[in-house]
Amino acid sequence: MSVIGLLDVRPRVRLGHLPTPVEPMDNLARRLAGHGGAPRLLVKRDDCTGIGFGGNKVRQLEFYLGDALAAGADTVLITGAVQSNFVRTCAAMAARLGLACHAQLEERVPRNDPLYRGGGNVLLDRIAGATIHSYPEGEDEAGADRALEALADRLRAEGRRPYVIHLGTDHPPLGALGYVAMADELLGQLAATGTIVDRIFLASGSAATHTGTLWGLRALGSAIPVVGICVRRAAALQAARVRAGLDRISALLGHDPGFAADDVRVDDAVLAPGYGRLNAATREAIALAGATEGLFVDPVYSGRVLAALVAAVRDGSVAAGESVLFVHTGGQPALFAYGDDVLATG
Ligand SMILES: *Cc1c(COP(=O)(O)O)cnc(C)c1O
């Protein structure tokens, strides 16, 4: 069975607007060009996956919610940061499927202003009808999952049929399957247009996007390097998480594509001062993408990845003539929770 055949037997709800476009960022490339000329910059528009304002969680939730429906669930439980895109997308997709959604928001970012607490994604969670809960820790995946399980027990006692989407790595990586499928979609697009990509830049958080993409590319015979930009953990920790995640996909699908020693690439140069907190490079990347391409990137994930790409072009580690694809994972609703803080100040 082909790798994509392995996915086809998995329950999936097809709610995403797929395939997403691959577009050039020529204006940005020209703006960044050095004396040797410009690199070729492309963007995979996974911010345009459609439902619930789109983003990378749509592909991931197609498999989680497919599994939930197959299990006969009537309620989904999810946990994430206060401004979580995963929670917002889940709330929207659950509403579309007629499922109730309980969202547990974790204290991951030290911010207390009303915009952060109630604007952006939180506003959208409410509009989609999610029931909001809170969890006092932000760096305790196992604890957050246990709290969801406890909530699921209470709902079960009330006669509901809950389905828990776990954060922790001791559960099958269903979300990563969405990015195994994305790898196939992307390779098809590149082949159809004769486009060469020398390197891919994407965000590495839970690493479902990173591991799914890398696993899918290698399983499909592509050796394109994938650079995961750390948005939450330092590089050594994140690399270990990615390696373990690749093994978990192999175990889930019963197939090991085989990875080279240098396949797992992570870069945490733009991570400071930490998850969900802006830095000057990310502010500049948000402004550059907006002003050169009319492209909006977010303060937590895609803006950080673009900041890393801009730095790599400037320091010459992406050379003139090289072709780099940036996976835009969405997240723009968070712009409205950060407000003026996203504007570059020079
Ligand atoms: C969650 C998220 C990411 C990180 O994706 P993972 O699969 O969790 O690593 C990147 N960008 C956006 C906008 C996200 O919401």
Side-chain angles (χ1 to χ4, degrees), residues 56-57 60 85-86 203-210 298 301-302 329-331:
N56 65 339
K57 300 310 183 313
Q60 302 184 16
N85 300 302
F86 203 12
S204 197
S206 78
T209 304
H210 186 172
D298 85 279
Y301 301 99
S302 51
T329 46

Side-chain angles (χ1 to χ4, degrees), residues 201-225:
F201 274 56
L202 48 66
S204 197
S206 78
T209 304
H210 186 172
T211 54
T213 303
L214 180 57
W215 196 99
L217 290 173
R218 297 302 178 269
L220 292 160
S222 164
I224 302 175

Side-chain angles (χ1 to χ4, degrees), residues 232-305:
R232 183 153 176 210
R233 294 172 200 83
L237 262 181
Q238 190 65 15
R241 188 180 178 97
V242 172
R243 281 193 200 94
L246 293 170
D247 289 343
R248 290 163 62 226
I249 301 173
S250 299
L252 178 63
L253 293 181
H255 173 78
D256 186 348
F259 295 93
D262 65 350
D263 265 342
V264 174
R265 301 182 188 206
V266 292
D267 177 348
D268 64 4
V270 292
L271 178 57
Y275 177 81
R277 299 168 70 186
L278 273 157
N279 54 39
T282 302
R283 285 192 184 90
E284 192 211 359
I286 291 171
L288 264 176
T292 60
E293 298 289 347
L295 184 70
F296 299 123
V297 291
D298 85 279
V300 183
Y301 301 99
S302 51
R304 217 170 213 121
V305 176

Side-chain angles (χ1 to χ4, degrees), residues 90-109:
C90 184
M93 292 173 75
R96 173 74 168 272
L97 294 169
L99 300 168
C101 177
H102 284 257
Q104 172 177 275
L105 304 185
E106 307 164 25
E107 296 303 328
R108 247 184 243 175
V109 178

Side-chain angles (χ1 to χ4, degrees), residues 21-155:
V22 174
E23 296 174 340
M25 299 192 291
D26 292 343
N27 298 336
L28 178 62
R30 268 194 298 276
R31 176 72 70 89
L32 298 174
H35 295 302
R40 177 143 197 243
L41 301 182
L42 300 165
V43 53
K44 173 73 169 157
R45 295 295 304 274
D46 264 23
D47 57 320
C48 298
T49 51
I51 185 159
F53 280 151
N56 65 339
K57 300 310 183 313
V58 170
R59 293 186 193 266
Q60 302 184 16
L61 285 161
E62 284 196 339
F63 285 91
Y64 279 115
L65 296 179
D67 197 44
L69 291 185
D74 61 10
T75 305
V76 291
L77 282 66
I78 188 161
T79 186
V82 170
Q83 284 295 331
S84 168
N85 300 302
F86 203 12
V87 167
R88 175 252 308 165
T89 320
C90 184
M93 292 173 75
R96 173 74 168 272
L97 294 169
L99 300 168
C101 177
H102 284 257
Q104 172 177 275
L105 304 185
E106 307 164 25
E107 296 303 328
R108 247 184 243 175
V109 178
R111 280 188 55 168
N112 246 324
D113 49 294
L115 207 54
Y116 189 81
R117 299 259 142 211
N121 282 309
V122 180
L123 176 66
L124 299 173
D125 299 341
R126 294 218 160 96
I127 291 173
T131 305
I132 312 260
H133 307 262
S134 66
Y135 188 71
E137 293 288 320
E139 293 303 332
D140 178 12
E141 278 188 343
D145 280 348
R146 275 196 303 275
L148 276 193
E149 290 289 0
L151 178 57
D153 286 342
R154 290 203 295 280
L155 290 166

